Structures are given as structure tokens and as C-alpha cells.
Amino acid sequence: MAKHQPDNQAQFRRFENFTELTHTLVSEWMHLIDDASQSKRTAAFALAGGSTPAPIYRELDQALAQRATANVLLTATDERWVHDNDPQSNEGLFKKCLSQSVGKQWHLVSLKNAANTPEVAMEAINERLQKQLPERFCAVLLGMGADGHIASLFPGAPVQADGLDCLAAVHPQTHQTRISLSLPRILQTEKIWLVITGNEKREVFENALSSDLPIGNLLKQAQCQIEVFWCP
């Protein structure tokens, strides 16, 4: 497996295929969880949604289910304002992909409540995050759009709101309402895993530092280790 180091703090790791990428990432992930378990600490992670990381979550589920106990908290980096049974729900995706271990080895800290809109829910969700996830994440797993967006932080849109850990967001094309962790909250982590595929996204990443895109802001502001997991 070849490795490439761009001129920033991120470590770029190239994999031949997504299966190899998945095995490596889940192995690293379980190491963090086991370390936390041995220290009797909660292992907290923020996860991207979408179809790309789904195989990673399914393999993580198998690994977690083999542990007698694990004290893991998961939250989404962002969520669409839909019910869990909607195919577009990230939280619903986690429950499906991590179905063997949900409620046993891991528990969800939800970004949703019964409010009609994310704008109405923001303060309550912020309070929940600060109460249930007061410490730094062990790791944040992010994807990236071809436009350079991360979570639901889109180019030209706010990345934080009044110091809250979360903010309401709107997809620029579909106008779908969402809630997202703020950039400052995403950066409160021990490490960041950025999972991307294809040459188009690799080019966006490699040019990110000279841009004002959300991915560029992440790279410029991060004070932690960033590992980029990429395959064609």
C-alpha cells in the first residue's frame, strides 16, 4: 500500500480498493475502542452518513458484536430532518448497518427531536450534545462532497451558530433541511478520518488548503491528526 504525504498535517493513505480501506480503518477503530474500554472510558465518535461509509459500519458492527462489553457513544456529523425509517436518514443508516451491536456495545446520541424544524431544535440538541458528549471525540469520520462540503457545512454557508455545537443547514440544491455539528465541535476530537474515493475528490482535497471551502477550513483549523483514507 503506497502512501503519499501532502504539504499539510494530513496523512494521505492510498488503498487499492474499498475492502482494503475498510479492513484497515475498522482495525484502527477497534484499537481505539479497546484502549478506551481497558481504561474504563467512554469511546465517543461522530460519523458521516451516506452510502460510502456503509460497508465500514457493517464491518465495525461485526467486530463490536464480538466484544462482551463496550462503552461506545455514536453521533452523526449531520442528519437530515426526517424520520429514522426514511432511506435518507443517517441515524437510521447507523442502526441498520450496526444492527447487531446497537443498544448493547454502542448507543446513539441523536441530533433530532420532535421539533418541526432544525432551527427550532438547535438549542435543545446543543444542550443534549454538551451533556452527553462533553469531552473530545476519540475520532470523527467524515466524508466530503465534490464541492468540498463536509457534514452539512456547505460552501458559502455558515459553519457555526452562536457558539452552539450544532446548527441548522439547508442543502443548496435540494433545499432539504438538515442539522449539522458545527465546525468547532467537529474539531474537538483526537483525530479525523476523512474517507474519499475517486480522482475528482482527491483533487478537491489536494487543492483544499488554497481554497475557502469547508474542507479547506477544516484542514487549516485542525489541531489534531488527520488521516485521509482514499481509494480509486
Side-chain angles (χ1 to χ4, degrees):
M1 179 178 64
K3 293 184 181 180
H4 168 67
Q5 184 79 31
D7 294 328
N8 58 34
Q9 74 270 39
Q11 179 187 24
F12 193 98
R13 306 176 66 176
R14 184 190 188 281
F15 298 86
E16 294 303 317
N17 53 62
F18 203 80
T19 299
E20 183 187 3
L21 184 158
T22 295
H23 290 340
T24 302
L25 180 49
V26 170
S27 176
E28 188 171 317
W29 200 334
M30 288 305 301
H31 183 71
L32 291 181
I33 290 171
D34 288 343
D35 278 354
S37 180
Q38 291 173 10
S39 303
K40 301 189 184 307
R41 294 181 290 111
T42 299
F45 301 90
L47 313 185
S51 59
T52 298
I56 299 172
Y57 301 152
R58 286 192 288 267
E59 185 162 324
L60 175 68
D61 186 41
Q62 294 176 5
L64 274 175
Q66 295 174 13
R67 299 294 192 272
T69 59
N71 188 11
V72 178
L73 291 179
L74 303 180
T75 193
T77 58
D78 62 317
E79 173 65 312
R80 295 141 174 110
W81 208 250
V82 296
H83 293 294
D84 282 359
N85 58 8
D86 189 299
Q88 297 188 80
S89 169
N90 290 339
E91 294 183 0
L93 173 79
F94 303 155
K95 291 173 182 177
K96 289 176 185 175
C97 292
L98 292 146
S99 60
Q100 297 179 73
S101 52
V102 62
K104 302 169 188 174
Q105 287 83 1
W106 71 273
H107 294 82
L108 178 73
V109 179
S110 178
L111 293 185
K112 295 183 293 194
N113 62 16
N116 289 329
T117 67
E119 289 84 359
V120 173
M122 279 169 48
E123 290 193 8
I125 300 301
N126 174 70
E127 184 176 340
R128 178 187 295 164
L129 290 169
Q130 293 188 347
K131 181 178 180 181
Q132 298 187 35
L133 294 168
E135 307 295 332
R136 296 166 69 87
F137 293 118
C138 291
V140 174
L141 191 154
L142 289 171
M144 183 193 73
D147 62 353
H149 84 264
I150 53 171
S152 283
L153 307 177
F154 298 101
V159 298
Q160 57 186 358
D162 300 324
L164 301 181
D165 284 354
C166 59
L167 70 160
V170 177
H171 190 282
Q173 278 78 49
T174 65
H175 305 294
Q176 182 186 55
T177 55
R178 304 180 176 196
I179 190 165
S180 179
L181 295 182
S182 67
L183 181 59
R185 184 62 184 98
I186 288 172
L187 292 172
Q188 291 176 31
T189 183
E190 297 298 326
K191 63 171 55 184
I192 292 170
W193 295 320
L194 179 65
V195 177
I196 54 176
T197 61
N199 290 323
E200 181 183 15
K201 289 187 179 181
R202 177 172 179 166
E203 185 174 350
V204 172
F205 166 75
E206 290 180 339
N207 293 324
L209 283 175
S210 60
S211 76
D212 195 32
L213 297 174
I215 182 62
N217 292 330
L218 176 91
L219 293 174
K220 293 168 191 173
Q221 296 179 37
Q223 300 295 315
C224 65
Q225 178 186 11
I226 299 176
E227 290 184 79
V228 183
F229 289 75
W230 178 86
C231 71

